[in-house]
Amino acid sequence: MRATTIHAPYDMRVEDVPEPVVRQPTDAVVRVLRACICGSDLWAYRGEAARQPGQRIGHEFLGVVEETGSEVTGVRRGDLVVAPFMWSDGTCDYCREGLTTSCVHGGFWGSVGFDGGQGEAVRVPHADGTLVQLPKEAASDEHLLSALLTLSDVMGTGHHAALGACARPGATVAVVGDGAVGLCAVLAAKRLGAERIIALGRHQARTDIARRFGATDVVAERGEAAVEAVRELTRGQGAHAVVEAVGTEQSMSTAVSITRDGGAIGFVGVPHGSGTGLDLGVMFDRNIALRGGVAPVRAYIPELLPDVLSGTVDPSPVFDMTVGLEGVPDGYKAMDERTALKVLVTA
């Protein structure tokens, strides 16, 4: 089959690789219908996250079950399913507590020796604990498929960030980062009842989506100017709930500075220097809480799925470029150059 591999910084290839097969009785093989490129994939693309030459890549996909192991009971051949960005057994202590990303038998798509989502098919370990069944009729609805694909990562991660920040009815929420996760955090904050949502971003195409998702205000400034702008919008107090969806020193420093005393920051940006943006003395003095991390999206899919199926929540506008599998390298280039927000990959 064909699948995306990474060989060196900026060297993405779509190559022939072995077809996946069931190896363990708890495995399933899923034929991919839709996948996508994540902003976090760009760290590997740019050489800022180590990968072995020829390693598979991609961690967001949905598709149709082709084969199952003898112990799989939750899905069967022909089922339409979505996979969260990590697999998990669903039975360990962490999984039972909802922290599926810490599963003792879990793992990440594209790890050495495992299939990545940006390919024609994927072997899914622990299929019963990992895969979530979708209505079969959704397979013929292009728009709905795009919306459902976001449940594999960005919508669940945005939700995780909003929960970590304690977004709630009546609260003012500020979102640092105008990537797909930040935009989904705007949507999640709106879903959780936030009264005011301030989106920090300077690319109009993205801030237009933020407004569509529920942002009431947009701040285009950065650094100290952004802090001043948010303070001006909030009577000098800052936001009750702040989402940090970038992962850099500046983004974290901004998040701390715009959080209201007694507020909380939900951080989901993959850390690349963000720790140096934290001033624990300031956070201590102002009673600012910090929550977040890798989003256990498998635990959130059952909660978010009904709203996506009904159209109450529609994250599909985060996809602004579509490629076939052979066009994935072009998709990486477009996202790296910021000419695309998030690239959808079709079978």
Side-chain angles (χ1 to χ4, degrees):
M1 71 167 189
R2 303 288 283 171
T4 307
T5 57
I6 182 168
H7 290 261
Y10 305 101
D11 184 2
M12 311 298 298
R13 306 177 194 176
V14 180
E15 301 180 307
D16 291 329
V17 301
E19 285 270 358
V21 296
V22 168
R23 296 181 186 172
Q24 302 293 332
T26 53
D27 287 351
V29 173
V30 173
R31 181 66 56 177
V32 176
L33 293 181
R34 295 291 182 274
C36 53
I37 301 173
C38 183
S40 64
D41 291 331
L42 296 180
W43 296 117
Y45 179 70
R46 295 166 179 158
E48 298 180 48
R51 293 292 188 275
Q52 292 186 6
Q55 191 171 336
R56 300 283 297 279
I57 195 166
H59 54 263
E60 301 158 284
F61 65 95
L62 59 74
V64 176
V65 176
E66 281 201 334
E67 186 181 359
T68 60
S70 60
E71 294 180 12
V72 176
T73 60
V75 295
R76 63 180 65 182
R77 180 181 175 89
D79 284 349
L80 180 68
V81 293
V82 63
F85 65 80
M86 294 183 71
W87 69 80
S88 52
D89 63 19
T91 59
C92 77
D93 289 346
Y94 290 114
C95 286
R96 288 198 298 268
E97 293 167 5
L99 194 62
T100 52
T101 48
S102 291
C103 176
V104 296
H105 298 118
F108 194 84
W109 309 113
S111 301
V112 175
F114 291 90
D115 298 323
Q118 293 161 19
E120 291 183 327
V122 176
R123 179 179 74 89
V124 178
H126 300 288
D128 279 344
T130 301
L131 299 173
V132 177
Q133 192 171 349
L134 304 172
K136 287 187 178 181
E137 57 269 23
S140 60
D141 187 330
E142 296 289 333
H143 184 89
L144 182 56
L145 276 181
S146 296
L148 290 168
L149 179 59
T150 67
L151 294 175
S152 66
D153 187 347
V154 289
M155 187 61 219
T157 298
H159 179 65
H160 185 59
L163 289 178
C166 296
R168 58 196 183 277
T172 294
V173 178
V175 177
V176 181
D178 60 3
V181 168
L183 295 174
C184 285
V186 170
L187 192 57
K190 178 71 173 178
R191 178 181 176 274
L192 292 170
E195 180 177 302
R196 191 175 194 182
I197 304 171
I198 304 168
L200 281 71
R202 60 198 314 177
H203 302 85
Q204 185 174 344
R206 299 182 179 203
T207 55
D208 285 349
I209 296 173
R211 289 190 184 277
R212 179 175 174 180
F213 281 0
T216 54
D217 304 272
V218 169
V219 169
E221 293 84 355
R222 285 186 177 180
E224 286 302 316
V227 174
E228 292 175 11
V230 173
R231 293 273 171 188
E232 185 175 341
L233 288 169
T234 56
R235 295 181 294 120
Q237 295 181 345
H240 301 96
V242 176
V243 168
E244 192 286 303
V246 182
T248 64
E249 178 181 4
Q250 183 185 60
S251 61
M252 184 60 81
S253 177
T254 297
V256 173
S257 297
I258 64 175
T259 304
R260 186 179 188 271
D261 287 17
I265 299 168
F267 74 107
V268 292
V270 178
H272 283 77
S274 57
T276 54
L278 285 170
D279 187 328
L280 293 181
V282 170
M283 297 176 70
F284 181 87
D285 290 344
R286 296 176 48 216
N287 281 283
I288 294 174
L290 181 67
R291 305 180 183 90
V294 185
V297 299
R298 176 60 182 84
Y300 297 141
I301 293 174
E303 176 184 351
L304 297 172
L305 179 58
D307 284 353
V308 173
L309 289 174
S310 70
T312 304
V313 170
D314 180 13
S316 65
V318 299
F319 296 112
D320 60 348
M321 178 178 177
T322 301
V323 298
L325 182 57
E326 301 297 329
V328 167
D330 293 332
Y332 273 89
K333 187 173 186 291
M335 284 182 61
D336 181 54
E337 296 175 350
R338 296 181 73 85
T339 58
L341 166 62
K342 189 168 181 66
V343 174
L344 178 71
V345 182
T346 59

